[in-house]
Amino acid sequence: MIVGLKDSLKLIGVSILACCAVFVCTMFLNYYFDLRAVGDLVTDANAQALYDAQLLTSKVVILITGLCLALTAVVMLFFYIRHYIDAHKKQLGILKALGYADIKIASGFWTFGLSVFIGAAAGFALAFAVMPTFYATQNNEKLLPDMSVGFHGEILAYFVIIPTLIYASVAILYAYYKLKTPVIALLKDSVQYKNVKKRGNEREKTSFLTGVALNVLSGKKSLAFFIFFAAFCFSAMIQMGLSMRELASPMMEAIMIAIGVLLACTTLILAVVTAVKENAKTIALMRAYGYSQAECANAVLGVYRPFGLLGFAVGTVYQWGLLEMILALVFKNVETNYKFDFVAMAISFAVYVVVYEAILLLYALKLRKASLKQIMTE
Amino acid sequence: MIEAKGIFKTYGKGESAVEVLKGIDVSVSDGEFSVILGASGSGKSTLLNVISGLERPDKGQMLYDGMDICTLKDKEVTAFRRENVGFVFQQYYLLPNMTVDKNVRMGADLAQNKDYKEIIEAVGLADKLRKYPAELSGGEQQRVAIARALAKKPKFLFCDEPTGALDEETGRLTLDFMSNLQRQYGFSIIMVTHNANIARMADTVIRMNSGRVISVEKNADVKSAYEIEW
Ligand SMILES: Nc1ncnc2c1ncn2[C@@H]1O[C@H](COP(=O)(O)OP(=O)(O)OP(=O)(O)O)[C@@H](O)[C@H]1O
Ligand SMILES: [Mg+2]
């Protein structure tokens, strides 16, 4: 096997994303199906309004979480595959040199689909575990007819089986596309081949630390996206959770906050780990020369800070717009006094900054341990 | 003055432990060119790393003008290296995705050295400022590494086999301008090498064997890089 089972299990980030997405989508789609089945029993006007509102919220939630998370999972998957190919360039080059066809090598990448399967299956199971409580809270005023949790086979297909197949084929196709590099480029030292094209730090006015920062940024642009996304998720989910207290059940609130925090931490840690790994040599050398821990951490990880802030801002606007839209569409007949929640924003921003800086600090501490010789001869 | 007193260093624990330095006592005066000679595996690199503050010994004192750097905290040792120490490594350790200019600035910025280009000129690479390490020959890369170390205006320059990967001609060239620059700037050089001929260029020759210093000799007749055999 070209891609080991262990390698695909390293995609825990993808699994977590898949788990969250499938959890939310399964729960709401299942609810949607069960609710629609009892639609005929709804007679009184109040109940009808609630019924319509709930059908619509379910659809909106499925579309938004599902799409958002699925897209991020694809980006993350690409990121991992590229990373994997970069890290195993030599072996792959040797296989190609021996005469293996690209498609033969690429087909080994199907195992990357496993991580999606594991996450999706976990999310599916989790959704069914939580659903009885969810159904009860959705109808705590007993306006709607009684519903029991039904099992819909097509949901299993939509959210577990089809995504797994799609991700496995996306992995194979993307790997195939990436493997189109000439053998010689794979066998040659990756840096030597790559850096001749990169002309980012040649300007002579910038200081060394700025040079490092620019280099870090141009080297891994996808990390900037991850940090942006992490902050976006965190900001949107937590603020929405906090300010929806009036509109939604405490359970939905808790779910949203939990998902926001989980996603943000996963992507953030993934990004930071990669950034540090990518730049381990630079950091080790800087430490030997006497650059302080703070200077190293700032040069390598600090460049991403603006992306985090931007993500947070966009997330704030997004959740506000979304809530306004839901209110206008869904609750137009229901009296609500939703206003933009500045307290929620302040709280989530404070928590975000603390989490972000804590992760940086943790990693800065880890940097101290590694010795120059160890890292350089790796 | 640098003094090492009773330095011990062991790698690993339990059965797999290797005692690499077994009680080293040695001292070097300021502004000298000292060479550490010894067979492969005798502990030269380890000693160099301990003296320069890259690694901590298990036991012993590392005195710089009487101050023991082993008693300093990590932060303080880092600050000490920043102020005083320059390194040239056997494998150059240049940053591959940074230009020559930026690689040298890594050292220069630490000393707020605005005139670092003079040093690049001195090592004969003025026309290679915008090149990347992969676009340079081995000798040129080593000269970048030397320029980087010198640009931070160290008081002590530590070199681990700086000519190990160079052919005779570039090796001589490199050593020659290192000793010229030393005369010009007045820093100390402590250099590890396999090559006993290079020892003829040094003021002091320290010989090591399996973790111990076996002799320290002053050289009466210091030769230039072009007078020694290779
Ligand atoms: N990190 C380490 N862990 C375990 N053993 C080590 C480590 N570093 C060095 N050693 C051992 O310590 C001994 C001395 O190593 P050192 O690198 O100081 O030798 P050296 O004299 O510089 O040799 P060379 O001339 O080949 O560079 C060697 O036997 C080596 O195996
Ligand atoms: Mg050595």
Side-chain angles (χ1 to χ4, degrees):
Chain A
M1 199 191 286
I2 291 159
V3 184
L5 213 56
K6 262 200 189 144
D7 293 310
S8 44
L9 289 182
K10 278 197 196 129
L11 277 83
I12 182 107
V14 175
S15 299
I16 292 178
L17 275 175
C19 179
C20 290
V22 171
F23 170 70
V24 174
C25 292
T26 302
M27 201 158 72
F28 280 92
L29 192 60
N30 216 57
Y31 184 70
Y32 180 82
F33 282 159
D34 287 338
L35 187 63
R36 222 179 36 183
V38 298
D40 297 338
L41 304 177
V42 179
T43 42
D44 115 60
N46 261 346
Q48 186 67 41
L50 184 65
Y51 171 82
D52 290 342
Q54 290 209 348
L55 277 188
L56 201 71
T57 350
S58 301
K59 267 195 272 188
V60 170
V61 168
I62 292 166
L63 278 179
I64 286 169
T65 29
L67 229 86
C68 204
L69 298 183
L71 273 180
T72 316
V74 170
V75 175
M76 216 186 247
L77 194 71
F78 283 174
F79 176 77
Y80 269 114
I81 291 177
R82 222 178 81 186
H83 198 69
Y84 185 86
I85 291 180
D86 278 347
H88 295 79
K89 262 190 171 160
K90 289 227 166 98
Q91 284 108 297
L92 295 172
I94 290 168
L95 284 179
K96 271 182 82 159
L98 287 176
Y100 278 85
D102 286 352
I103 194 66
K104 177 114 194 175
I105 302 174
S107 59
F109 280 75
W110 71 269
T111 47
F112 280 108
L114 274 184
S115 56
V116 174
F117 177 75
I118 293 170
F124 190 78
L126 206 63
F128 270 89
V130 175
M131 246 180 282
T133 334
F134 175 68
Y135 276 39
T137 51
Q138 285 289 81
N139 188 20
N140 49 6
E141 282 161 27
K142 297 277 173 224
L143 281 173
L144 297 172
D146 268 341
M147 277 182 286
S148 57
V149 179
F151 181 85
H152 305 275
E154 60 266 47
I155 298 184
L156 187 66
Y158 293 160
F159 293 145
V160 181
I161 296 166
I162 295 176
T164 304
L165 295 178
I166 291 179
Y167 277 85
S169 11
V170 164
I172 292 172
L173 286 177
Y174 184 68
Y176 178 69
Y177 163 75
K178 276 275 148 192
L179 282 169
K180 287 229 155 289
T181 340
V183 178
I184 239 355
L186 288 172
L187 287 175
K188 240 184 174 174
D189 225 345
S190 59
V191 236
Q192 288 202 358
Y193 192 77
K194 223 167 42 186
N195 73 43
V196 179
K197 284 182 285 178
K198 256 197 253 166
R199 293 282 175 189
N201 59 46
E202 63 182 12
R203 267 174 298 144
E204 283 165 31
K205 287 218 181 66
T206 48
S207 73
F208 170 70
L209 287 175
T210 318
V212 171
L214 288 177
N215 236 310
V216 167
L217 201 59
S218 70
K220 275 268 174 284
K221 291 192 197 68
S222 42
L223 287 187
F225 170 77
F226 280 147
I227 304 243
F228 173 87
F229 176 76
F232 172 83
C233 275
F234 191 87
S235 151
M237 299 292 233
I238 291 186
Q239 289 188 64
M240 203 161 0
L242 287 177
S243 50
M244 269 195 4
R245 251 164 303 181
E246 298 217 344
L247 310 179
S249 55
M251 191 172 155
M252 262 178 84
E253 191 187 325
I255 288 175
M256 295 192 88
I257 293 179
I259 290 181
V261 173
L262 195 65
L263 282 182
C265 290
T266 318
T267 31
L268 212 56
I269 289 175
L270 171 80
V272 170
V273 171
T274 323
V276 169
K277 256 197 206 143
E278 290 276 313
N279 299 288
K281 290 193 176 173
T282 308
I283 295 169
L285 206 61
M286 284 170 69
R287 299 283 295 144
Y289 259 70
Y291 281 91
S292 72
Q293 222 162 279
E295 282 170 324
C296 296
N298 234 338
V300 172
L301 303 171
V303 269
Y304 294 115
R305 209 173 267 130
F307 294 92
L309 294 179
L310 189 68
F312 190 91
V314 174
T316 305
V317 173
Y318 167 83
Q319 61 91 28
W320 173 70
L322 195 67
L323 280 183
E324 288 287 348
M325 194 182 83
I326 292 179
L327 286 183
L329 286 176
V330 181
F331 292 93
K332 52 180 177 257
N333 306 321
V334 188
E335 186 90 16
T336 53
N337 54 353
Y338 170 75
K339 276 201 293 297
F340 184 79
D341 193 340
F342 284 99
V343 180
M345 184 176 85
I347 294 174
S348 41
F349 187 68
V351 176
Y352 170 76
V353 170
V354 169
V355 169
Y356 189 89
E357 299 303 322
I359 291 177
L360 288 205
L361 198 71
L362 221 74
Y363 256 81
L365 287 179
K366 217 180 144 179
L367 296 184
R368 199 175 60 182
K369 299 249 162 66
S371 88
L372 181 68
K373 192 167 131 197
Q374 243 169 24
I375 292 172
M376 284 303 187
T377 48
E378 232 169 41
Chain B
M1 180 143 114
I2 309 177
E3 292 167 279
K5 287 190 176 170
I7 300 284
F8 285 84
K9 177 84 189 173
T10 301
Y11 285 117
K13 287 203 178 78
E15 280 189 15
S16 63
V18 207
E19 192 172 36
V20 179
L21 300 179
K22 304 166 182 169
I24 301 273
D25 292 287
V26 75
S27 68
V28 171
S29 310
D30 287 347
E32 274 196 353
F33 181 1
S34 317
V35 158
I36 303 177
L37 274 180
S40 184
S42 55
K44 306 182 296 291
S45 298
T46 310
L47 179 61
L48 200 72
N49 291 348
V50 169
I51 296 180
S52 60
L54 273 183
E55 278 187 82
R56 285 178 188 279
D58 300 329
K59 214 164 85 187
Q61 292 178 304
M62 229 8 278
L63 305 171
Y64 278 79
D65 292 331
M67 179 194 64
D68 186 359
I69 61 166
C70 305
T71 60
L72 300 178
K73 294 198 192 94
D74 277 353
K75 229 183 190 157
E76 294 163 334
V77 179
T78 305
F80 169 81
R81 286 202 302 266
R82 184 186 189 116
E83 283 283 299
N84 301 294
V85 177
F87 297 97
V88 179
F89 302 97
Q90 181 170 8
Q91 295 85 359
Y92 322 138
Y93 292 164
L94 296 179
L95 300 173
N97 42 18
M98 297 235 145
T99 56
V100 169
D101 178 74
K102 282 287 167 297
N103 265 288
V104 176
R105 275 197 82 148
M106 173 174 180
D109 283 2
L110 282 174
Q112 267 106 44
N113 182 355
K114 294 266 184 290
D115 307 320
Y116 69 96
K117 294 226 173 88
E118 281 173 18
I119 294 168
I120 301 185
E121 231 160 80
V123 302
L125 292 173
D127 55 334
K128 302 259 156 60
L129 271 183
R130 283 158 176 252
K131 296 269 186 219
Y132 286 85
E135 299 168 310
L136 302 177
S137 76
E140 288 166 337
Q141 289 184 47
Q142 189 60 299
R143 281 185 274 160
V144 177
I146 292 168
R148 176 176 70 183
L150 293 177
K152 95 193 265 286
K153 297 186 177 163
K155 295 194 185 72
F156 311 98
L157 180 65
F158 294 94
C159 311
D160 196 347
E161 307 239 16
T163 55
L166 304 181
D167 61 40
E168 178 177 341
E169 200 184 319
T170 22
R172 280 186 203 274
L173 198 78
T174 308
L175 286 176
D176 189 50
F177 69 64
M178 278 176 83
S179 59
N180 285 340
L181 290 169
Q182 186 199 14
R183 233 161 279 142
Q184 195 181 333
Y185 292 96
F187 50 86
S188 317
I189 298 181
I190 300 179
M191 182 186 292
V192 163
T193 177
H194 269 123
N195 188 338
N197 291 320
I198 293 177
R200 296 178 166 273
M201 292 176 62
D203 301 304
T204 308
V205 181
I206 300 160
R207 277 172 214 279
M208 284 185 75
N209 192 11
S210 58
R212 292 200 174 83
V213 171
I214 50 171
S215 74
V216 179
E217 291 161 30
K218 293 280 169 196
N219 205 344
D221 179 23
V222 176
K223 294 220 158 53
S224 86
Y226 290 103
E227 291 165 341
I228 58 169
E229 310 213 348
W230 197 263

mmCIF file of all heavy atoms in Angstrom, chain A residues 234 238 261 264-266 268-269 272 348-362:
data_model
loop_
_atom_site.group_PDB
_atom_site.id
_atom_site.type_symbol
_atom_site.label_atom_id
_atom_site.label_comp_id
_atom_site.label_asym_id
_atom_site.label_seq_id
_atom_site.Cartn_x
_atom_site.Cartn_y
_atom_site.Cartn_z
ATOM 1 N N PHE A 234 -15.389 30.124 14.849
ATOM 2 C CA PHE A 234 -15.441 30.447 16.260
ATOM 3 C C PHE A 234 -16.373 31.636 16.483
ATOM 4 O O PHE A 234 -17.306 31.590 17.278
ATOM 5 C CB PHE A 234 -14.020 30.786 16.713
ATOM 6 C CG PHE A 234 -13.861 30.890 18.181
ATOM 7 C CD1 PHE A 234 -13.591 29.771 18.937
ATOM 8 C CD2 PHE A 234 -13.958 32.114 18.821
ATOM 9 C CE1 PHE A 234 -13.425 29.855 20.285
ATOM 10 C CE2 PHE A 234 -13.803 32.212 20.184
ATOM 11 C CZ PHE A 234 -13.533 31.072 20.919
ATOM 12 N N ILE A 238 -20.182 30.902 17.999
ATOM 13 C CA ILE A 238 -20.352 31.274 19.397
ATOM 14 C C ILE A 238 -21.283 32.474 19.541
ATOM 15 O O ILE A 238 -22.179 32.483 20.377
ATOM 16 C CB ILE A 238 -18.988 31.541 20.050
ATOM 17 C CG1 ILE A 238 -18.273 30.198 20.154
ATOM 18 C CG2 ILE A 238 -19.152 32.172 21.430
ATOM 19 C CD1 ILE A 238 -16.997 30.235 20.874
ATOM 20 N N VAL A 261 -16.283 25.866 18.929
ATOM 21 C CA VAL A 261 -15.021 25.751 19.646
ATOM 22 C C VAL A 261 -14.197 24.589 19.090
ATOM 23 O O VAL A 261 -12.997 24.711 18.839
ATOM 24 C CB VAL A 261 -15.282 25.557 21.154
ATOM 25 C CG1 VAL A 261 -13.983 25.260 21.881
ATOM 26 C CG2 VAL A 261 -15.922 26.800 21.728
ATOM 27 N N ALA A 264 -12.823 25.405 15.611
ATOM 28 C CA ALA A 264 -11.793 26.437 15.676
ATOM 29 C C ALA A 264 -10.501 25.860 16.223
ATOM 30 O O ALA A 264 -9.429 26.059 15.651
ATOM 31 C CB ALA A 264 -12.278 27.591 16.529
ATOM 32 N N CYS A 265 -10.607 25.099 17.310
ATOM 33 C CA CYS A 265 -9.394 24.551 17.913
ATOM 34 C C CYS A 265 -8.715 23.564 16.972
ATOM 35 O O CYS A 265 -7.497 23.580 16.822
ATOM 36 C CB CYS A 265 -9.693 23.891 19.253
ATOM 37 S SG CYS A 265 -10.108 25.106 20.502
ATOM 38 N N THR A 266 -9.502 22.698 16.330
ATOM 39 C CA THR A 266 -8.908 21.721 15.416
ATOM 40 C C THR A 266 -8.131 22.415 14.306
ATOM 41 O O THR A 266 -6.966 22.106 14.062
ATOM 42 C CB THR A 266 -9.995 20.861 14.741
ATOM 43 O OG1 THR A 266 -10.946 20.514 15.717
ATOM 44 C CG2 THR A 266 -9.403 19.637 14.114
ATOM 45 N N LEU A 268 -7.106 25.493 14.093
ATOM 46 C CA LEU A 268 -6.034 26.344 14.596
ATOM 47 C C LEU A 268 -4.807 25.511 14.959
ATOM 48 O O LEU A 268 -3.681 25.844 14.576
ATOM 49 C CB LEU A 268 -6.531 27.100 15.821
ATOM 50 C CG LEU A 268 -5.949 28.474 16.048
ATOM 51 C CD1 LEU A 268 -6.180 29.343 14.836
ATOM 52 C CD2 LEU A 268 -6.565 29.106 17.269
ATOM 53 N N ILE A 269 -5.034 24.420 15.676
ATOM 54 C CA ILE A 269 -3.899 23.589 16.083
ATOM 55 C C ILE A 269 -3.240 22.987 14.850
ATOM 56 O O ILE A 269 -2.017 22.985 14.716
ATOM 57 C CB ILE A 269 -4.340 22.500 17.080
ATOM 58 C CG1 ILE A 269 -4.663 23.171 18.418
ATOM 59 C CG2 ILE A 269 -3.247 21.461 17.258
ATOM 60 C CD1 ILE A 269 -5.225 22.253 19.460
ATOM 61 N N VAL A 272 -1.144 25.696 13.256
ATOM 62 C CA VAL A 272 0.046 26.049 14.019
ATOM 63 C C VAL A 272 1.085 24.928 13.958
ATOM 64 O O VAL A 272 2.273 25.173 13.737
ATOM 65 C CB VAL A 272 -0.338 26.369 15.477
ATOM 66 C CG1 VAL A 272 0.897 26.492 16.332
ATOM 67 C CG2 VAL A 272 -1.131 27.657 15.532
ATOM 68 N N SER A 348 -16.968 36.637 22.967
ATOM 69 C CA SER A 348 -16.325 35.676 22.073
ATOM 70 C C SER A 348 -14.995 36.206 21.558
ATOM 71 O O SER A 348 -14.065 35.436 21.341
ATOM 72 C CB SER A 348 -17.246 35.264 20.923
ATOM 73 O OG SER A 348 -17.936 36.359 20.435
ATOM 74 N N PHE A 349 -14.872 37.510 21.395
ATOM 75 C CA PHE A 349 -13.593 38.043 20.942
ATOM 76 C C PHE A 349 -12.521 37.841 22.001
ATOM 77 O O PHE A 349 -11.404 37.405 21.697
ATOM 78 C CB PHE A 349 -13.711 39.531 20.596
ATOM 79 C CG PHE A 349 -12.463 40.081 19.977
ATOM 80 C CD1 PHE A 349 -12.084 39.668 18.705
ATOM 81 C CD2 PHE A 349 -11.659 40.976 20.657
ATOM 82 C CE1 PHE A 349 -10.921 40.146 18.127
ATOM 83 C CE2 PHE A 349 -10.494 41.464 20.078
ATOM 84 C CZ PHE A 349 -10.127 41.052 18.810
ATOM 85 N N ALA A 350 -12.876 38.114 23.243
ATOM 86 C CA ALA A 350 -11.907 37.925 24.328
ATOM 87 C C ALA A 350 -11.461 36.469 24.381
ATOM 88 O O ALA A 350 -10.267 36.170 24.458
ATOM 89 C CB ALA A 350 -12.522 38.349 25.651
ATOM 90 N N VAL A 351 -12.448 35.552 24.314
ATOM 91 C CA VAL A 351 -12.100 34.129 24.377
ATOM 92 C C VAL A 351 -11.218 33.755 23.181
ATOM 93 O O VAL A 351 -10.230 33.033 23.314
ATOM 94 C CB VAL A 351 -13.372 33.254 24.403
ATOM 95 C CG1 VAL A 351 -13.008 31.781 24.359
ATOM 96 C CG2 VAL A 351 -14.187 33.556 25.643
ATOM 97 N N TYR A 352 -11.565 34.283 22.010
ATOM 98 C CA TYR A 352 -10.791 33.971 20.815
ATOM 99 C C TYR A 352 -9.331 34.386 20.972
ATOM 100 O O TYR A 352 -8.416 33.607 20.714
ATOM 101 C CB TYR A 352 -11.388 34.662 19.587
ATOM 102 C CG TYR A 352 -10.497 34.563 18.390
ATOM 103 C CD1 TYR A 352 -10.416 33.370 17.676
ATOM 104 C CD2 TYR A 352 -9.683 35.623 18.010
ATOM 105 C CE1 TYR A 352 -9.563 33.253 16.600
ATOM 106 C CE2 TYR A 352 -8.824 35.513 16.944
ATOM 107 C CZ TYR A 352 -8.766 34.329 16.237
ATOM 108 O OH TYR A 352 -7.909 34.201 15.185
ATOM 109 N N VAL A 353 -9.122 35.618 21.426
ATOM 110 C CA VAL A 353 -7.756 36.113 21.564
ATOM 111 C C VAL A 353 -6.979 35.255 22.557
ATOM 112 O O VAL A 353 -5.838 34.855 22.301
ATOM 113 C CB VAL A 353 -7.755 37.594 22.004
ATOM 114 C CG1 VAL A 353 -6.358 38.043 22.384
ATOM 115 C CG2 VAL A 353 -8.298 38.459 20.888
ATOM 116 N N VAL A 354 -7.627 34.917 23.668
ATOM 117 C CA VAL A 354 -6.943 34.111 24.674
ATOM 118 C C VAL A 354 -6.567 32.745 24.096
ATOM 119 O O VAL A 354 -5.430 32.285 24.234
ATOM 120 C CB VAL A 354 -7.831 33.940 25.932
ATOM 121 C CG1 VAL A 354 -7.237 32.892 26.863
ATOM 122 C CG2 VAL A 354 -7.977 35.266 26.650
ATOM 123 N N VAL A 355 -7.518 32.097 23.407
ATOM 124 C CA VAL A 355 -7.237 30.773 22.839
ATOM 125 C C VAL A 355 -6.103 30.848 21.822
ATOM 126 O O VAL A 355 -5.152 30.064 21.858
ATOM 127 C CB VAL A 355 -8.514 30.184 22.176
ATOM 128 C CG1 VAL A 355 -8.177 28.948 21.368
ATOM 129 C CG2 VAL A 355 -9.542 29.849 23.240
ATOM 130 N N TYR A 356 -6.180 31.832 20.935
ATOM 131 C CA TYR A 356 -5.165 31.967 19.880
ATOM 132 C C TYR A 356 -3.784 32.157 20.484
ATOM 133 O O TYR A 356 -2.838 31.449 20.154
ATOM 134 C CB TYR A 356 -5.510 33.158 18.986
ATOM 135 C CG TYR A 356 -4.656 33.263 17.752
ATOM 136 C CD1 TYR A 356 -5.019 32.615 16.578
ATOM 137 C CD2 TYR A 356 -3.489 34.013 17.745
ATOM 138 C CE1 TYR A 356 -4.235 32.708 15.449
ATOM 139 C CE2 TYR A 356 -2.699 34.106 16.612
ATOM 140 C CZ TYR A 356 -3.079 33.452 15.465
ATOM 141 O OH TYR A 356 -2.297 33.544 14.351
ATOM 142 N N GLU A 357 -3.680 33.098 21.412
ATOM 143 C CA GLU A 357 -2.372 33.391 21.984
ATOM 144 C C GLU A 357 -1.872 32.228 22.831
ATOM 145 O O GLU A 357 -0.676 31.960 22.883
ATOM 146 C CB GLU A 357 -2.419 34.678 22.811
ATOM 147 C CG GLU A 357 -2.797 35.920 22.001
ATOM 148 C CD GLU A 357 -1.871 36.183 20.816
ATOM 149 O OE1 GLU A 357 -0.650 35.965 20.936
ATOM 150 O OE2 GLU A 357 -2.377 36.609 19.750
ATOM 151 N N ALA A 358 -2.800 31.500 23.481
ATOM 152 C CA ALA A 358 -2.390 30.365 24.303
ATOM 153 C C ALA A 358 -1.785 29.278 23.426
ATOM 154 O O ALA A 358 -0.763 28.675 23.777
ATOM 155 C CB ALA A 358 -3.576 29.813 25.086
ATOM 156 N N ILE A 359 -2.404 29.043 22.254
ATOM 157 C CA ILE A 359 -1.864 28.019 21.361
ATOM 158 C C ILE A 359 -0.486 28.432 20.856
ATOM 159 O O ILE A 359 0.444 27.632 20.805
ATOM 160 C CB ILE A 359 -2.842 27.745 20.205
ATOM 161 C CG1 ILE A 359 -4.088 27.037 20.762
ATOM 162 C CG2 ILE A 359 -2.204 26.864 19.144
ATOM 163 C CD1 ILE A 359 -5.160 26.787 19.738
ATOM 164 N N LEU A 360 -0.330 29.701 20.515
ATOM 165 C CA LEU A 360 0.985 30.194 20.080
ATOM 166 C C LEU A 360 2.022 29.984 21.175
ATOM 167 O O LEU A 360 3.128 29.515 20.919
ATOM 168 C CB LEU A 360 0.930 31.686 19.740
ATOM 169 C CG LEU A 360 0.230 32.135 18.479
ATOM 170 C CD1 LEU A 360 0.795 33.463 18.018
ATOM 171 C CD2 LEU A 360 0.393 31.124 17.376
ATOM 172 N N LEU A 361 1.646 30.341 22.381
ATOM 173 C CA LEU A 361 2.574 30.256 23.501
ATOM 174 C C LEU A 361 2.993 28.812 23.732
ATOM 175 O O LEU A 361 4.158 28.492 23.927
ATOM 176 C CB LEU A 361 1.898 30.815 24.749
ATOM 177 C CG LEU A 361 2.851 31.190 25.866
ATOM 178 C CD1 LEU A 361 3.621 32.433 25.461
ATOM 179 C CD2 LEU A 361 2.089 31.451 27.151
ATOM 180 N N LEU A 362 1.994 27.918 23.676
ATOM 181 C CA LEU A 362 2.252 26.498 23.871
ATOM 182 C C LEU A 362 3.291 26.015 22.875
ATOM 183 O O LEU A 362 4.217 25.291 23.208
ATOM 184 C CB LEU A 362 0.948 25.736 23.633
ATOM 185 C CG LEU A 362 0.665 24.615 24.590
ATOM 186 C CD1 LEU A 362 0.252 25.200 25.920
ATOM 187 C CD2 LEU A 362 -0.444 23.741 24.038
#
